[in-house]
Amino acid sequence: MISKKHKAFRSMLMGSVMLTPMMLAANATAQDADEDDKDDVEEITVTGIRASLKSARDMKRNADTAVDTISASDVSTLPDLSVAEALARVPGVVVQRFGLGASDGDFPSPEGGDNLIRGLQLVRSEFNGRDAFSANGGRSLDFGTVPPELIGSVEVFKNSSADLIQGGIGGTINLRTLEPFDRSGRIAVVTVDGTYTDLRDEFTPDISVVLGDRWEVSSGEVGLLGSFSTSELKSSLEGFQIGQLLPIDLDGQTVAVPGGFQLRTNEVDRSRDSYYLAGQWRNEEGNLEVTAKYSRIENTVTSDERTLEWFSDGEMWFQTGPTGDYTTTPFSSNGLAQCNGSNDPTPSNPTCEMTQSVSALFESGVVSNGLRDWTGSRGANFTNLGIHQEEKSMTDDLSINIKWMPTEQLFVNIDAHKTSASFDMSRLWAGTRFYSDFELNADLDDPRVRLVVDPDNNPQARGGLTPAYNGDLSDPVNSFLLFAADEFQDNEGDMFAIKGDVQYDFDNDSWFESVKFGARYAERDQVNRSAGLNWAALAPSWGGGLLPMNALATPGFETVDFSNFFGGGVVTGDNTEVVFANRELLSDYDAFVQMVDTDPLITPDWNPLRRDGQVDWSRGTIGDIVEKTTDFYVRLDMGNEFDNGMSLDANVGLRYTKSSVSGQGQLDYNDITDDDARTLAPQTTAFFDQESIDRSGQFSNVGYWLPSLNVKWNVSETSLIRFAGSKQITRPNISQLRSSQVAVGALRYIVDEDTDPPTVTDVVPNLINIYGGNPNLEAIESWNFDLGYEYYFGEQDSFTFSLFYKDISNNIIYGSQTLETVTLDGQEVAIVYNGDLNQDEATIKGFEVAYQQFFTHLDGFLGHLGVQANYTYIDAKTDAPLPIVDADGDGTPDSFERIFRYGVNDYLGLSKHTANLIGIYQDDKLEVRLAYNWRSSHLSSYRDFVTGNPIIQQDRGYLDGSIKYELNDMMQLRVQVANILNTRAKADQQIDADGQTFGRTAFLGDRRIKAGIRFKF
């Protein structure tokens, strides 16, 4: 019996086993006109999207572990607008449009980005079976940044075998690019598309070119294939946010009052260029093949954000309330936290974590806040925040692969690659202020806001100015320059890896088919430079009065109209336009700094991080990390065919992996520069004046044994039962392992507001927070098990069902840990590390069911229809982040550390239910596809900054579609539409220990319509 591995390896030598069948089908010529209708139907079933789904089905069936696959139906024809969005059609895979943890959910992406497998972020990404990463400090590639034109197929491994590289507890996603030998001959494809985004109301171009050929030469055969693509996208996001519910005493009862709101617009411009070249050579005997590839992907993202907001915090929460008549609606809670997430509690200042019972919910009325009344202002102190951000990223990869079959039973594979990546980010903020009361309908489905200016508003101005204030918020006289902030990142990473595999096929009829063993060495060097967020005042009220925007020496303002926000009807009344820092000025960092330096009325505390084009990295952190990894494995393949027609295939293996991490860094102390603090808290000031402490060295050198077992019982020619079990690890992200840290003081200012102006009488150190990496993190470990049934019928039809279970230990979460306490200026002050910790365990279990069928047995129109459907159920529990509030019940938080409220033990990012339903029509000219993707609610943050509460993303679904029409053998017209239903993504906040929720955010993005033409020569 010839081993299946032997035949598979021969297929690899003859071309990519993943791509060739599908590509050859796509290259098949049309049937002659005199063929009968039956032959025509058969031809249709092996072309276009049907061919790609058949290829994906067959790959899954033949795989030796739990795998799902996506195939492009032809060159430059991935079925979705991005790789990340295409992956969301795979059972158990979701695309992340919102970040996870802290307040990342407040900043969604216009395009789908990272992918989760079975609810886990612990995903390994590969590019042609090799490490792929971005220089943002992670271990994975953002699949939203990969041009779909490059991709021939995508493999999603949900379990493992010994020869697969470790790293994906959730799974491994491998992107396979096109190769010259995928096609039987010459290939020339040009696509020209344009994308329209309806919210932004912009058109942008997409162009790609793929050229390739193969030739017979004296030594065998050679092939070359190259591609270039360029793509632009102009998109918009609009977001409405609600603050926490404040327990406010009103007329003898405690009422839950929404603690503010935010309106945000964000215009995002993305440009992407990719370059790819692949060459292959195969000798005449067909037992030696060499493949070399080079790819480079460049992404530039520029965004301009405008945010109008007022949120209550620990300083002002109790000063919030109605100015006149108001109404309430019945509502009760046993305990609402008093204020938001920006103030970590201490025994001396537990304000925000203390709770109060409420008996009603504020429904309507004009709300005000009196925090800055001493300045002459009247109303809540709104902030208009303008942010300009630029990101540039690059990933390039150079690789060579050699496959050699020296004998009929021996196979050798050698693979090496060098990957380089860079990521640069710059961000500039400018905040302006106005004062106004407001009306708020805090309903995510029907939000409404009205700004109501108090006629007695008369803030003190600086420099002898006597502004003529009025009630028009679009007049710059009523808005004031307040603060600036900047932030920079400059990251670069390099990796070199080489591996060798040797396989020996047993030439006998025993159960043992082959043995395979190999080794791998990888070295990654990552440098992360980060400075900021560097926030400070420019013209604060306490520094001599406010500075009206119309009094700036350099014109630096613009008005933004919110009357059409969410399509209109949200912002009502006379004041729909407000004043922001000028967008053009914010996009020119040096010009903004010059304005701050030269305007006589600006008295900045803000010291820019960049001058003369150079960033002062000494005011931030620099982490230099080197990770060296060595792997060894052995794998034994077995199989047997039984007399009853059944057969069994199995592999058992053991992988050993060991990595050492070393790095350079230091603990820096953030100087206290405020004059009041230096005078009133001298010991605290001296603590932060101390010199930096070196933290360089080698931090870990840990090895892991990773066993695996995969069994496939072929019950019949159409059905099989599959079992997979393995131990896996996911190492911490490179950025998490940096040794650089910074100590920052959290100071509380005691102010006597009875004086004119108010006077700082004391400065109290609350906490010493340590931020930065944790080089002592250990790898996350998991035992993974899959058990599935797969039924294959027809030409491309299938039904599959699988159970899965994961037992995860040493999970990494962002938390707090008290290191020690010191006494400064008469206060016991905790030194608290805030960062990533091995603090969590979890179990994840569930099932996936998938169905795919084309109704070719039916007549007429119905015979051209097909359907794909899948559903995934996941049940997961993890440890609630520590600490909890007031375990001893004395009314005071028990810890110096960050409080994670209500003991929520859901797993971040994990939806209990996800589903896809895809309808397909295809004939010899027309292909139509409608795809609906839905996921149930999921936890996106244990504690966000604005509210301090856990955040739960609501259920949501997206409908996408595509139409392709073959004009002739050379030209195809195509249209793809994303977000047809104009889905609004909404999230709630958990507001009490009983699990009650209240609206938190609603975001609206563009519909994207991409139309164009594809030429194939």
Side-chain angles (χ1 to χ4, degrees):
M1 181 177 70
I2 299 176
S3 78
K4 296 179 179 63
K5 275 296 178 185
H6 190 159
K7 290 186 285 187
F9 203 92
R10 280 188 166 180
S11 296
M12 257 192 315
L13 287 174
M14 298 304 294
S16 171
V17 76
M18 305 302 295
L19 303 181
T20 299
M22 178 270 298
M23 289 300 181
L24 290 177
N27 200 38
T29 59
Q31 296 290 320
D32 293 334
D34 59 353
E35 290 183 330
D36 59 29
D37 291 341
K38 180 176 183 297
D39 290 336
D40 290 340
V41 172
E42 289 177 350
E43 178 64 22
I44 290 171
T45 61
V46 293
T47 61
I49 194 169
R50 293 185 180 181
S52 69
L53 294 177
K54 181 183 187 304
S55 176
R57 185 200 74 159
D58 293 344
M59 294 175 201
K60 178 180 179 69
R61 181 178 186 174
N62 296 327
D64 49 19
T65 189
V67 179
D68 283 294
T69 306
I70 301 171
S71 292
S73 58
D74 203 346
V75 177
S76 300
T77 57
L78 200 69
D80 286 274
L81 291 177
S82 72
V83 175
E85 290 167 320
L87 280 164
R89 316 297 178 198
V90 173
V93 180
V94 298
V95 60
Q96 280 296 104
R97 292 175 170 88
F98 291 79
L100 299 177
S103 293
D104 289 353
D106 290 352
F107 305 96
S109 168
E111 301 178 270
D114 294 334
N115 292 97
L116 277 60
I117 301 178
R118 292 173 173 173
L120 296 176
Q121 291 177 286
L122 309 175
V123 175
R124 172 178 166 80
S125 66
E126 294 184 343
F127 206 61
N128 295 307
R130 308 174 185 100
D131 282 276
F133 62 92
S134 303
N136 57 8
R139 292 188 183 274
S140 62
L141 192 64
D142 180 349
F143 297 114
T145 68
V146 178
E149 295 82 6
L150 278 181
I151 304 305
S153 70
V154 186
E155 300 166 288
V156 180
F157 293 88
K158 297 177 179 177
N159 213 302
S160 189
S161 56
D163 54 322
L164 293 178
I165 302 172
Q166 69 284 339
I169 286 177
T172 296
I173 299 175
N174 181 32
L175 309 185
R176 290 188 174 270
T177 57
L178 303 170
E179 295 179 355
F181 289 171
D182 292 338
R183 303 288 295 224
S184 60
R186 181 173 301 166
I187 172 176
V189 176
V190 178
T191 63
V192 180
D193 298 290
T195 301
Y196 173 73
T197 45
D198 68 337
L199 194 61
R200 183 75 177 271
D201 193 21
E202 292 273 7
F203 285 91
T204 48
D206 294 82
I207 300 172
S208 71
V209 179
V210 179
L211 299 173
D213 205 348
R214 53 196 295 179
W215 305 270
E216 297 288 342
V217 295
S218 59
S219 60
E221 186 178 14
V222 297
L224 285 175
L225 185 145
S227 77
F228 167 76
S229 69
T230 182
S231 169
E232 295 181 15
L233 182 68
K234 294 182 182 292
S235 57
S236 286
L237 284 166
E238 295 180 351
F240 172 75
Q241 301 193 31
I242 304 169
Q244 77 283 3
L245 290 181
L246 304 173
I248 303 296
D249 292 331
L250 299 178
D251 301 323
Q253 67 174 338
T254 304
V255 177
V257 178
F261 68 91
Q262 179 193 90
L263 307 173
R264 179 191 297 159
T265 66
N266 193 14
E267 295 186 348
V268 182
D269 295 350
R270 186 266 295 157
S271 64
R272 179 174 62 215
D273 295 323
S274 73
Y275 312 85
Y276 175 70
L277 182 65
Q280 290 183 287
W281 171 81
R282 182 184 300 141
N283 68 355
E284 286 187 290
E285 294 77 14
N287 68 341
L288 178 63
E289 182 177 288
V290 179
T291 302
K293 296 181 180 181
Y294 174 77
S295 64
R296 182 182 179 93
I297 302 172
E298 300 172 348
N299 280 276
T300 300
V301 180
T302 302
S303 62
D304 286 289
E305 180 180 314
R306 298 292 177 267
T307 297
L308 183 161
E309 68 178 27
W310 177 79
F311 289 125
S312 177
D313 63 17
E315 184 182 15
M316 69 175 79
W317 70 274
F318 56 90
Q319 301 180 56
T320 303
T323 61
D325 294 337
Y326 63 92
T327 63
T328 63
T329 189
F331 175 78
S332 64
S333 172
N334 291 325
L336 297 182
Q338 290 182 154
C339 42
N340 70 355
S342 63
N343 300 82
D344 288 325
T346 68
S348 63
N349 183 34
T351 305
C352 282
E353 298 310 320
M354 297 175 68
T355 62
Q356 296 185 42
S357 299
V358 298
S359 56
L361 175 65
F362 187 88
E363 185 176 43
S364 67
V366 177
V367 177
S368 189
N369 183 276
L371 177 67
R372 295 287 183 256
D373 282 0
W374 59 267
T375 68
S377 63
R378 296 292 181 269
N381 55 332
F382 278 88
T383 298
N384 287 344
L385 176 61
I387 303 176
H388 178 79
Q389 179 170 310
E390 297 180 5
E391 295 180 357
K392 293 182 179 180
S393 64
M394 181 279 298
T395 300
D396 73 10
D397 182 85
L398 178 64
S399 64
I400 187 168
N401 177 267
I402 302 172
K403 294 182 176 72
W404 179 38
M405 187 169 61
T407 72
E408 285 293 310
Q409 295 173 251
L410 187 63
F411 312 94
V412 179
N413 181 72
I414 299 173
D415 192 275
H417 74 102
K418 171 71 181 298
T419 301
S420 299
S422 63
F423 175 81
D424 299 296
M425 186 275 289
S426 63
R427 181 185 295 157
L428 179 61
W429 298 23
T432 64
R433 171 143 294 171
F434 70 86
Y435 295 90
S436 179
D437 300 331
F438 63 90
E439 290 182 338
L440 171 64
N441 183 45
D443 183 348
L444 297 182
D445 294 314
D446 184 26
R448 291 191 305 279
V449 170
R450 187 169 75 94
L451 298 172
V452 183
V453 179
D454 190 320
D456 295 328
N457 187 43
N458 188 34
Q460 299 171 4
R462 60 178 50 203
L465 299 174
T466 56
Y469 297 123
N470 55 62
D472 182 4
L473 293 178
S474 67
D475 189 334
V477 73
N478 299 308
S479 291
F480 312 96
L481 183 64
L482 186 63
F483 65 85
D486 55 352
E487 182 177 8
F488 295 90
Q489 292 183 31
D490 182 8
N491 303 337
E492 54 198 40
D494 294 287
M495 167 177 273
F496 171 76
I498 184 170
K499 69 172 185 175
D501 307 277
V502 177
Q503 177 177 312
Y504 179 77
D505 279 5
F506 298 110
D507 189 14
N508 54 54
D509 293 328
S510 72
W511 277 70
F512 299 109
E513 291 190 347
S514 64
V515 62
K516 185 177 182 181
F517 53 90
R520 175 178 178 268
Y521 173 80
E523 181 173 326
R524 180 172 172 182
D525 188 347
Q526 179 83 31
V527 179
N528 292 339
R529 304 174 187 87
S530 176
L533 187 71
N534 169 42
W535 185 101
L538 292 178
S541 56
W542 59 86
L546 293 165
L547 174 57
M549 293 296 287
N550 67 337
L552 292 173
T554 301
F557 67 87
E558 65 181 11
T559 60
V560 176
D561 189 355
F562 284 89
S563 62
N564 200 39
F565 186 84
F566 274 11
V570 174
V571 183
T572 63
D574 296 331
N575 282 299
T576 63
E577 294 185 56
V578 293
V579 174
F580 285 82
N582 183 273
R583 181 176 312 208
E584 292 184 3
L585 187 61
L586 285 176
S587 63
D588 189 338
Y589 183 93
D590 294 335
F592 183 85
V593 171
Q594 183 178 19
M595 181 199 75
V596 171
D597 288 343
T598 58
D599 195 309
L601 294 178
I602 296 178
T603 55
D605 295 328
W606 182 62
N607 180 17
L609 287 168
R610 192 181 81 186
R611 289 188 181 275
D612 300 323
Q614 298 297 317
V615 177
D616 184 2
W617 298 112
S618 67
R619 295 168 58 191
T621 61
I622 300 177
D624 187 350
I625 302 164
V626 177
E627 181 185 61
K628 300 178 181 180
T629 303
T630 304
D631 304 329
F632 301 95
Y633 79 88
V634 61
R635 166 178 158 167
L636 178 64
D637 280 62
M638 298 165 284
N640 192 44
E641 296 181 0
F642 303 103
D643 293 338
N644 59 4
M646 297 182 182
S647 64
L648 193 70
D649 298 304
N651 65 77
V652 61
L654 182 64
R655 188 176 188 92
Y656 177 77
T657 179
K658 185 175 184 179
S659 67
S660 64
V661 176
S662 60
Q664 297 180 1
Q666 59 188 22
L667 172 61
D668 296 315
Y669 293 87
N670 198 19
D671 295 342
I672 296 174
T673 58
D674 178 70
D675 291 338
D676 289 328
R678 295 192 71 85
T679 300
L680 298 173
Q683 292 180 347
T684 304
T685 300
F687 180 89
F688 286 97
D689 283 343
Q690 64 181 296
E691 294 295 322
S692 300
I693 298 174
D694 183 67
R695 286 175 50 82
S696 302
Q698 181 167 314
F699 301 101
S700 64
N701 191 13
V702 183
Y704 299 89
W705 293 96
L706 307 175
S708 62
L709 172 65
N710 292 275
V711 179
K712 183 167 61 174
W713 177 20
N714 299 291
V715 180
S716 68
E717 291 185 358
T718 59
S719 62
L720 62 88
I721 295 173
R722 187 188 303 274
F723 170 81
S726 67
K727 185 177 182 182
Q728 263 289 2
I729 64 167
T730 296
R731 291 189 168 97
N733 285 335
I734 289 291
S735 61
Q736 295 174 311
L737 294 170
R738 68 191 189 279
S739 59
S740 296
Q741 295 178 340
V742 60
V744 180
L747 307 179
R748 182 160 55 100
Y749 286 75
I750 310 299
V751 180
D752 182 359
E753 296 196 1
D754 293 331
T755 62
D756 187 16
T759 306
V760 177
T761 60
D762 197 9
V763 176
V764 179
N766 274 347
L767 283 176
I768 298 170
N769 287 303
I770 306 292
Y771 300 100
N774 181 358
N776 296 311
L777 286 172
E778 299 177 6
I780 306 169
E781 301 179 47
S782 177
W783 282 97
N784 305 326
F785 300 97
D786 284 77
L787 179 63
Y789 170 75
E790 301 169 15
Y791 174 61
Y792 300 95
F793 57 102
E795 288 293 323
Q796 60 276 305
D797 309 326
S798 63
F799 172 83
T800 62
F801 177 84
S802 60
L803 300 166
F804 57 86
Y805 178 85
K806 297 178 185 292
D807 186 2
I808 300 173
S809 59
N810 255 358
N811 197 22
I812 297 172
I813 63 170
Y814 188 94
S816 301
Q817 186 177 69
T818 300
L819 305 178
E820 59 178 312
T821 60
V822 295
T823 301
L824 299 173
D825 298 305
Q827 296 286 327
E828 182 186 14
V829 184
I831 302 177
V832 177
Y833 171 72
N834 301 275
D836 295 301
L837 300 166
N838 290 109
Q839 203 179 64
D840 201 12
E841 295 183 353
T843 57
I844 295 175
K845 56 188 176 182
F847 66 85
E848 298 168 350
V849 59
Y851 164 69
Q852 172 179 305
Q853 185 172 7
F854 288 89
F855 305 105
T856 54
H857 58 284
L858 300 177
D859 296 328
F861 173 82
L862 297 177
H864 298 289
L865 295 178
V867 64
Q868 284 181 282
N870 60 67
Y871 166 77
T872 301
Y873 171 82
I874 305 176
D875 179 32
K877 291 300 177 186
T878 185
D879 299 328
L882 298 174
I884 61 172
V885 177
D886 192 18
D888 57 13
D890 65 357
T892 300
D894 307 312
S895 172
F896 296 105
E897 299 158 18
R898 175 159 295 166
I899 298 297
F900 294 93
R901 295 172 180 166
Y902 315 132
V904 174
N905 64 349
D906 291 344
Y907 204 100
L908 280 179
L910 193 148
S911 293
K912 182 165 285 189
H913 310 278
T914 60
N916 286 283
L917 179 61
I918 302 171
I920 301 167
Y921 174 87
Q922 182 185 338
D923 60 28
D924 58 347
K925 290 286 188 180
L926 179 65
E927 178 182 299
V928 181
R929 178 177 177 267
L930 273 177
Y932 184 71
N933 172 261
W934 177 86
R935 65 183 300 192
S936 63
S937 62
H938 65 277
L939 182 73
S940 61
S941 176
Y942 290 109
R943 175 187 175 101
D944 87 329
F945 181 84
V946 170
T947 69
N949 292 325
I951 305 301
I952 301 100
Q953 300 291 327
Q954 293 185 13
D955 302 355
R956 66 181 62 114
Y958 292 89
L959 179 65
D960 303 329
S962 65
I963 300 175
K964 298 176 182 178
Y965 184 77
E966 303 288 342
L967 290 173
N968 52 47
D969 290 343
M970 296 178 59
M971 288 188 292
Q972 179 193 79
L973 297 178
R974 56 191 194 171
V975 178
Q976 293 173 279
V977 185
N979 192 21
I980 294 173
L981 300 178
N982 207 27
T983 297
R984 187 179 295 183
K986 293 175 286 188
D988 296 321
Q989 53 180 305
Q990 182 176 332
I991 58 174
D992 61 20
D994 294 329
Q996 291 194 88
T997 61
F998 192 76
R1000 172 69 182 92
T1001 63
F1003 285 94
L1004 181 66
D1006 293 283
R1007 292 185 182 96
R1008 285 176 289 150
I1009 304 170
K1010 184 175 182 178
I1013 188 167
R1014 175 177 176 269
F1015 301 91
K1016 182 171 64 173
F1017 306 98

